[in-house]
Amino acid sequence: MAKGSQLVQLKTALNQAGVIGQKASGKKRKRSAAPLEKDKLKTAAKLEEIHRRLNPFDEKVTKLKHNVGGRKLKGMSGKPAKSKQAGLEQRKKSLLKEWEEKNRAGGIVDRRFGENDPTMSLEERMLERFTRERQRASKSAAFNVEDEDELTHYGQSLSKLDDFDDVALQSEDDNDDEDLNARNIDREIVNKTHFGGFDDHEDDDEDDEGPARKKSKAEVMAEVMAKSKEHKLRRQMEKDAEENIRHELDDQFADLRELLFAAPPLPTTTQAPIIEPQTGSPEVPTKDDAAVLYIAPETQDSAYDQRVRELAFDKRSKPKDRTKTEEELALEAKEALEKAERRRQRRMEGLPESDSEGEGGGRAKRKRGGDDLEDDFYDEDEQWGGLGAGLAERNIEDDEEEAEGEDDSSDGEEDSAGEDEDDASVFEGFSDDESEEEEGEHEQLVRPAKVDKGKGKAKTNSNKELPYTFPCPENHEEFLEIIEGIEDKDIPIVLQRIRALHHTSLAAENKFKLQKFASVLIDHILSVSSVKRPRLHVINALYSHLKPIVKAYPIPAAQHFNSKLSLMHKNLKRGLAKGATDPESKTWPGLAELSLLRVIPLIWPTSDLHHAVVSPTRTLMGSYLGLCRVRSLSDIASGLFLCTLWLQFEALSKRLVPEAVNFIVNAILHIAPHSFESIQSLPGTFPSPDFQSDLCKPLRLSKSKQPPEASVPNLSQLLEARLDDQQAKASLLGLAIDLCGRFADLYKGLDGFIELFDPIYTILQGVDGSKLGHSIQSRHAGLSDALARLLKFARQSRQPLRLQAHKPIPIATYVPKFETTSSNFLRQRDPDFERNEAAKLKAQYKQERKGAIRELRKDARFLAAVEQQKQVQKDKEYNEHMKKAFTSMEGERAEQKATEKEKAKDKRRRGKK
């Protein structure tokens, strides 16, 4: 192969093959009429060989690892391009036709001669069809006597014409006049068909000279254009006439309107008064009423007037506003609140309301003076006691003075009772006997506010309207000043307005204000739950606003939560240092701490293994349950609430909390009557340091004929329950039994479930259920049955440990494997003939299946390409159609604009005249 470009190589190869260039011959060759067939085949073979050598990628060759001489193998070389093209052609002939006709219900059967015969060539088919056509024509002329051809005139046979075709023949039933007219031949027929006319009518029109000649295309088009222009001119003239008539009517409409609505002259005589049927009072008709009365009934078109009024007051459609961003919505909310607050201030000051800002001062009501004297004039300042303008203001001032007096008296009562409330406060002490000297040891989670002391409900003023704008408080004291005098039900509105006025997108410093506001809400949660009469419903309102702020600013909120948790942990350590069993030591959490712990799982995710807020909370709750000792019913109530929180914390992660399970079992042992006398008699290894202690013996339920039933536990009441409160003991026992069942259902999937709950089941069997109420008995029996069933299933599912099961390893053998049937060691053969044939069949099936899948995929690709080409063609036709439509529309629009301009010019020209 010569070196160089593809073109050079192609020319060289063609010259060497003798396809082009001069033939290598010494003497002149005789010219042949045409190349022989053998020469054609040789040239085609040479060209094919040249094409193959120039494009080596058309042929794919598989190299053998071991080339054995004399062996012929199939599939060593292939031509993928040709095979692919052949496959496409084959699919176009078979698959494409099937796909195009798959949804056709019918079809046309081709009955042409030789069309379905593949053995006949095209010339043979045409010859056969011509022969059949001649045979069919010869059948009609089989009995024709005359062999001459038929005479024709303008393509019509003269033998088939009838002499009387054009003569109008009537039936006998017609009238005589009609028969006479029918028998008379028309003059036109005589002139044209009976050799009439000749040169007598040369001066007549072109229609009377003879048959009309055929018009040329130019004449036809000229006639069409003339008629079109004539119709267009006629329409334009009619339109102009209508326009002129319309303008004349418009000019004369003013005179017509005066005639329609002109009132007739009133009579000179005095009219009688009209008596209304409803009131009976006389009413003298005015001039307008008389005009209305004397209008003719024909001119009163009430339906038309009513329709005109409806159209005049009909609401017009307005475009919709676009979707606003969060910053725009926040700004609108802020402006709306500020506008409402300005209106409220003006109403409070007695000024008229004004929609626009700054209009109130200029439009204030002017005070009446001496120049305004009338019959009903009076001085508002002197006569304020009547129904004058100053009544409301004076009453408001008196109400405010009375409210201030009530506040002073209530403050005095609060000062007198402040000492008792300080003793009852959770943050200042958990027992009533705590002295003021120990306050330095137990730190408060939130600073006590004087406003909240002694008030189960906030002070309200019904005459005072709720403001619309509030400052963002930076501490809890400022927040208490804001909500002072506001009812608890209005606190969510106040919080919503504070958040709307101080949205982050409105100002850069609002971010830091909302961070401090989150800390204020946390402090207020502690504050409302620390009073003597806690307002727990306020916590729900605070939580709905605290959660979005914490979600927006998690780090500052987490730091504030951690500061409260660390303070609670310090208080726990101080209480334990004073003595865990000391009745006056503050170890267990109060209502405020429990409220804070209850809010934490609602805001932060509790399923995380490590969390900045939840992990310290878990540690603190576990410390409460594991280190604190039981001394009263309030301690049991606090511990059971912590167990409830643990159940919520571990609902998803299902981590084992042994402190919670241990406290529940000890609570059952402290309250329920049982048969265990000492710690050694208790089953299992649960720590029970307070079992049968002097402080816990009074906690057991006392014997009675009618034992109390378990009720819905109230946390605030249980924390203040006395030792002899049997109803509180029954409620706590029912709660402990329910919690034990829930923890058993939570931990039933643990591997150590048997070791954990088998001792609990034994303790429940030792509880004397006959001394309990009916509801507690049913709960106790249900828990025992559930534990027995769960323990049974756990024992059935537990399997002993075994060594790892694996497939046995065979011993290696070195005996060679011989085959007697064949010496081909490359193929794996089975000595069993049937099994070997089955394996061959499976291999063949697998190979055919792969081939079928391959072909199906190729068919799918082919059909997808056809559909794509079809869609492209359809889109192209659609675009061309739309272009034509737009072009025609643009032309029509241009003509319309030109017509409108001409009309406008004519109108202006007529107006100048």
Side-chain angles (χ1 to χ4, degrees):
M1 183 68 69
K3 296 183 179 180
S5 63
Q6 288 279 341
L7 184 58
V8 173
Q9 295 179 13
L10 178 61
K11 289 182 178 180
T12 306
L14 292 176
N15 282 325
Q16 292 177 358
V19 178
I20 62 175
Q22 296 181 357
K23 302 293 185 286
S25 176
K27 55 183 179 179
K28 295 182 180 181
R29 298 182 58 188
K30 295 181 180 179
R31 293 184 178 180
S32 58
L36 298 177
E37 190 69 24
K38 294 182 179 180
D39 296 340
K40 290 182 180 181
L41 295 176
K42 289 180 181 180
T43 304
K46 290 179 181 180
L47 292 175
E48 182 69 21
E49 180 65 21
I50 292 171
H51 178 72
R52 186 185 65 79
R53 285 186 296 168
L54 287 177
N55 191 3
F57 298 101
D58 286 348
E59 186 175 1
K60 184 179 179 182
V61 180
T62 304
K63 294 183 179 181
L64 291 176
K65 188 174 182 181
H66 302 286
N67 190 5
V68 180
R71 185 174 59 171
K72 295 181 180 180
L73 298 177
K74 294 181 180 180
M76 293 301 298
S77 62
K79 297 178 180 179
K82 286 188 176 182
S83 61
K84 184 177 180 181
Q85 186 65 28
L88 290 176
E89 295 295 335
Q90 183 66 23
R91 288 183 178 86
K92 287 181 182 179
K93 294 179 181 178
S94 58
L95 181 62
L96 184 58
K97 290 184 178 180
E98 294 178 2
W99 181 74
E100 290 176 349
E101 298 178 358
K102 64 177 181 178
N103 293 326
R104 295 182 61 180
I108 299 174
V109 180
D110 193 357
R111 299 186 182 277
R112 292 179 295 174
F113 301 109
E115 189 64 28
N116 296 325
D117 191 356
T119 59
M120 296 178 67
S121 63
L122 182 61
E123 292 79 3
E124 293 176 352
R125 294 176 187 174
M126 298 302 295
L127 181 60
E128 182 68 21
R129 292 173 187 172
F130 181 73
T131 304
R132 295 294 180 91
E133 186 177 359
R134 297 295 296 173
Q135 290 178 357
R136 190 184 299 109
S138 62
K139 288 182 181 179
S140 60
F143 304 97
N144 189 5
V145 179
E146 299 178 357
D147 295 336
E148 299 178 357
D149 294 333
E150 295 181 357
L151 298 177
T152 59
H153 179 69
Y154 286 105
Q156 297 181 357
S157 178
L158 295 178
S159 61
K160 296 180 181 179
L161 292 177
D162 193 358
D163 295 338
F164 300 97
D165 287 343
D166 297 331
V167 179
L169 300 178
Q170 299 292 335
S171 62
E172 297 179 356
D173 299 334
D174 296 338
N175 297 328
D176 298 337
D177 296 337
E178 294 179 357
D179 294 341
L180 183 61
N181 294 332
R183 294 189 183 95
N184 294 333
I185 303 176
D186 193 5
R187 180 181 180 182
E188 183 179 358
I189 298 174
V190 173
N191 291 335
K192 292 183 179 180
T193 59
H194 292 193
F195 308 101
F198 292 102
D199 296 333
D200 297 337
H201 304 282
E202 289 181 356
D203 298 335
D204 293 347
D205 296 337
E206 205 173 326
D207 296 336
D208 300 334
E209 291 180 358
R213 68 179 181 84
K214 187 176 181 181
K215 296 181 181 180
S216 63
K217 186 175 181 181
E219 293 175 350
V220 172
M221 295 304 297
E223 184 178 355
V224 170
M225 292 173 63
K227 289 182 179 180
S228 176
K229 290 181 180 180
E230 181 184 357
H231 290 302
K232 188 175 181 180
L233 181 61
R234 187 181 294 111
R235 288 197 303 268
Q236 185 65 29
M237 293 174 62
E238 292 176 357
K239 192 171 184 181
D240 292 341
E242 292 176 358
E243 288 288 338
N244 295 332
I245 295 173
R246 190 179 297 110
H247 286 304
E248 291 177 1
L249 289 176
D250 291 342
D251 296 338
Q252 298 174 3
F253 184 72
D255 301 336
L256 183 64
R257 183 169 53 189
E258 292 178 358
L259 294 175
L260 289 175
F261 296 100
L266 296 174
T268 56
T269 59
T270 306
Q271 295 182 1
I274 300 173
I275 306 299
E276 294 184 359
Q278 296 179 357
T279 59
S281 60
E283 182 182 358
V284 178
T286 61
K287 181 179 180 180
D288 297 337
D289 297 336
V292 173
L293 291 174
Y294 283 99
I295 289 177
E298 293 80 3
T299 61
Q300 296 181 1
D301 192 355
S302 59
Y304 176 75
D305 295 340
Q306 182 179 1
R307 182 59 181 166
V308 169
R309 286 194 295 271
E310 290 178 359
L311 293 176
F313 293 103
D314 192 8
K315 185 177 180 181
R316 297 182 179 180
S317 60
K318 297 181 180 180
K320 295 183 178 179
D321 297 335
R322 64 175 178 84
T323 304
K324 299 182 179 179
T325 60
E326 184 179 359
E327 290 79 7
E328 293 175 347
L329 293 175
L331 183 60
E332 285 186 1
K334 179 185 176 182
E335 292 176 353
L337 290 175
E338 290 177 349
K339 187 176 180 180
E341 177 62 18
R342 287 194 297 270
R343 290 184 177 180
R344 189 189 70 83
Q345 293 288 347
R346 296 186 64 82
R347 291 196 304 270
M348 185 175 64
E349 296 174 0
L351 300 175
E353 296 185 13
S354 176
D355 295 336
S356 61
E357 187 175 358
E359 291 182 358
R363 296 187 179 182
K365 184 178 180 182
R366 183 176 63 85
K367 188 175 181 180
R368 300 178 67 185
D371 294 337
D372 300 327
L373 289 176
E374 295 178 3
D375 295 339
D376 58 346
F377 174 77
Y378 65 91
D379 191 359
E380 296 179 358
D381 295 337
E382 294 180 359
Q383 300 181 4
W384 64 271
L387 297 176
L391 178 62
E393 298 179 358
R394 299 294 179 90
N395 291 338
I396 291 173
E397 293 177 358
D398 294 344
D399 293 342
E400 291 179 354
E401 291 177 359
E402 293 176 2
E404 289 178 359
E406 293 177 0
D407 293 345
D408 296 336
S409 62
S410 61
D411 291 339
E413 295 175 0
E414 290 172 2
D415 295 336
S416 62
E419 217 173 46
D420 299 337
E421 294 172 0
D422 291 343
D423 294 340
S425 178
V426 178
F427 300 111
E428 297 179 4
F430 288 91
S431 61
D432 299 332
D433 300 329
E434 182 69 16
S435 60
E436 296 180 357
E437 298 177 356
E438 297 176 355
E439 290 181 358
E441 298 180 1
H442 190 88
E443 297 184 15
Q444 302 175 2
L445 294 179
V446 65
R447 187 176 300 175
K450 188 178 180 181
V451 182
D452 291 337
K453 292 181 180 179
K455 294 183 182 179
K457 249 187 177 180
K459 180 181 67 177
T460 60
N461 190 358
S462 59
N463 294 332
K464 191 173 182 181
E465 188 178 0
L466 190 65
Y468 291 92
T469 59
F470 300 93
C472 188
E474 296 185 357
N475 50 48
H476 188 226
E477 288 75 11
E478 295 181 3
F479 182 70
L480 292 178
E481 293 177 0
I482 292 174
I483 64 173
E484 184 179 1
I486 297 177
E487 296 182 2
D488 292 343
K489 64 179 181 180
D490 296 333
I491 290 179
I493 303 176
V494 176
L495 299 178
Q496 182 63 33
R497 291 177 179 176
I498 291 175
R499 290 178 57 198
L501 290 170
H502 302 86
H503 196 269
T504 311
S505 60
L506 299 178
E509 62 272 8
N510 288 346
K511 174 182 178 181
F512 305 101
K513 290 183 180 180
L514 291 179
Q515 292 176 6
K516 294 181 181 179
F517 187 56
S519 304
V520 170
L521 293 181
I522 296 171
D523 292 340
H524 194 64
I525 289 175
L526 298 171
S527 177
V528 296
S529 57
S530 63
V531 295
K532 187 175 181 179
R533 294 181 179 178
R535 306 193 304 273
L536 300 179
H537 61 279
V538 180
I539 299 178
N540 296 329
L542 297 175
Y543 161 73
S544 60
H545 295 276
L546 177 61
K547 185 174 181 179
I549 301 177
V550 172
K551 187 177 181 180
Y553 311 106
I555 296 178
Q559 292 175 355
H560 194 72
F561 272 106
N562 286 336
S563 64
K564 299 299 180 183
L565 293 175
S566 62
L567 185 56
M568 292 167 61
H569 187 249
K570 288 180 182 179
N571 293 336
L572 174 61
K573 290 193 295 184
R574 290 170 183 170
L576 293 176
K578 188 175 180 180
T581 57
D582 188 359
E584 296 184 357
S585 63
K586 303 171 185 177
T587 54
W588 289 97
L591 186 58
E593 288 89 343
L594 294 176
S595 300
L596 181 64
L597 296 175
R598 178 68 181 87
V599 171
I600 288 176
L602 299 178
I603 298 178
W604 306 101
T606 58
S607 60
D608 297 351
L609 183 61
H610 301 290
H611 194 271
V613 179
V614 178
S615 297
T617 306
R618 285 199 190 98
T619 305
L620 182 60
M621 292 168 58
S623 301
Y624 279 132
L625 294 176
L627 300 178
C628 297
R629 305 287 290 275
V630 177
R631 299 158 301 182
S632 61
L633 291 177
S634 62
D635 296 346
I636 295 179
S638 180
L640 290 178
F641 188 80
L642 290 175
C643 295
T644 306
L645 292 180
W646 271 117
L647 196 65
Q648 183 180 1
F649 270 70
E650 307 302 331
L652 296 176
S653 59
K654 297 183 179 181
R655 301 186 185 97
L656 177 62
V657 186
E659 293 88 354
V661 180
N662 184 29
F663 185 84
I664 292 172
V665 175
N666 287 328
I668 294 174
L669 290 174
H670 291 326
I671 300 175
H674 52 79
S675 59
F676 303 102
E677 299 295 337
S678 61
I679 299 178
Q680 291 76 16
S681 61
L682 294 176
T685 58
F686 292 104
S688 300
D690 299 324
F691 182 70
Q692 299 292 347
S693 63
D694 297 335
L695 294 176
C696 295
K697 285 182 179 179
L699 303 179
R700 185 173 300 178
L701 277 170
S702 59
K703 298 180 181 179
S704 61
K705 294 182 180 179
Q706 293 182 354
E709 300 292 339
S711 60
V712 179
N714 189 345
L715 182 60
S716 58
Q717 296 178 2
L718 293 176
L719 291 177
E720 298 177 358
R722 299 186 304 273
L723 293 176
D724 55 349
D725 192 349
Q726 301 298 322
Q727 181 62 42
K729 294 178 182 179
S731 300
L732 290 174
L733 181 58
L735 179 60
I737 293 174
D738 292 342
L739 288 176
C740 185
R742 295 200 176 191
F743 273 100
D745 187 65
L746 182 66
Y747 295 145
K748 62 184 178 182
L750 294 179
D751 295 334
F753 178 80
I754 299 175
E755 288 75 12
L756 182 62
F757 280 92
D758 193 22
I760 298 176
Y761 177 72
T762 306
I763 291 174
L764 291 176
Q765 293 296 326
V767 174
D768 189 3
S770 60
K771 300 179 181 180
L772 303 175
H774 296 289
S775 60
I776 302 178
Q777 287 182 10
S778 61
R779 295 184 186 181
H780 175 261
L783 178 60
S784 300
D785 296 340
L787 281 180
R789 187 167 55 256
L790 291 175
L791 289 172
K792 178 182 176 182
F793 294 155
R795 290 190 178 95
Q796 290 177 356
S797 61
R798 176 173 289 185
Q799 298 293 334
L801 293 177
R802 293 181 298 179
L803 293 175
Q804 183 180 3
H806 57 82
K807 188 177 181 180
I809 301 175
I811 301 174
T813 177
Y814 300 99
V815 179
K817 183 179 180 181
F818 297 97
E819 292 185 1
T820 57
T821 57
S822 175
S823 62
N824 189 0
F825 61 91
L826 296 177
R827 295 184 181 179
Q828 183 180 2
R829 290 185 175 274
D830 197 339
D832 190 355
F833 178 77
E834 295 181 357
R835 195 161 49 196
N836 192 15
E837 293 296 327
K840 288 182 181 179
L841 187 59
K842 287 182 180 180
Q844 186 179 0
Y845 165 74
K846 186 177 181 181
Q847 185 177 3
E848 294 295 334
R849 184 173 177 271
K850 287 183 178 179
I853 293 174
R854 191 184 306 112
E855 291 298 324
L856 289 175
R857 288 174 179 170
K858 290 180 180 179
D859 294 345
R861 285 195 293 268
F862 173 76
L863 293 177
V866 172
E867 290 180 354
Q868 186 179 7
Q869 293 176 0
K870 198 173 182 180
Q871 186 64 31
V872 169
Q873 183 65 22
K874 188 185 297 183
D875 295 343
K876 184 178 179 181
E877 294 176 357
Y878 175 76
N879 292 331
E880 292 178 355
H881 177 70
M882 294 303 294
K883 286 181 181 179
K884 291 180 181 178
F886 278 117
T887 303
S888 61
M889 290 172 64
E890 289 173 356
E892 293 176 359
R893 181 57 181 165
E895 293 178 1
Q896 183 181 2
K897 287 184 177 180
T899 307
E900 291 176 356
K901 289 181 180 179
E902 292 295 333
K903 290 180 181 178
K905 288 181 181 180
D906 296 341
K907 191 173 183 181
R908 288 196 298 270
R909 198 179 297 114
R910 287 195 300 271
K912 290 180 181 180
K913 293 179 181 180

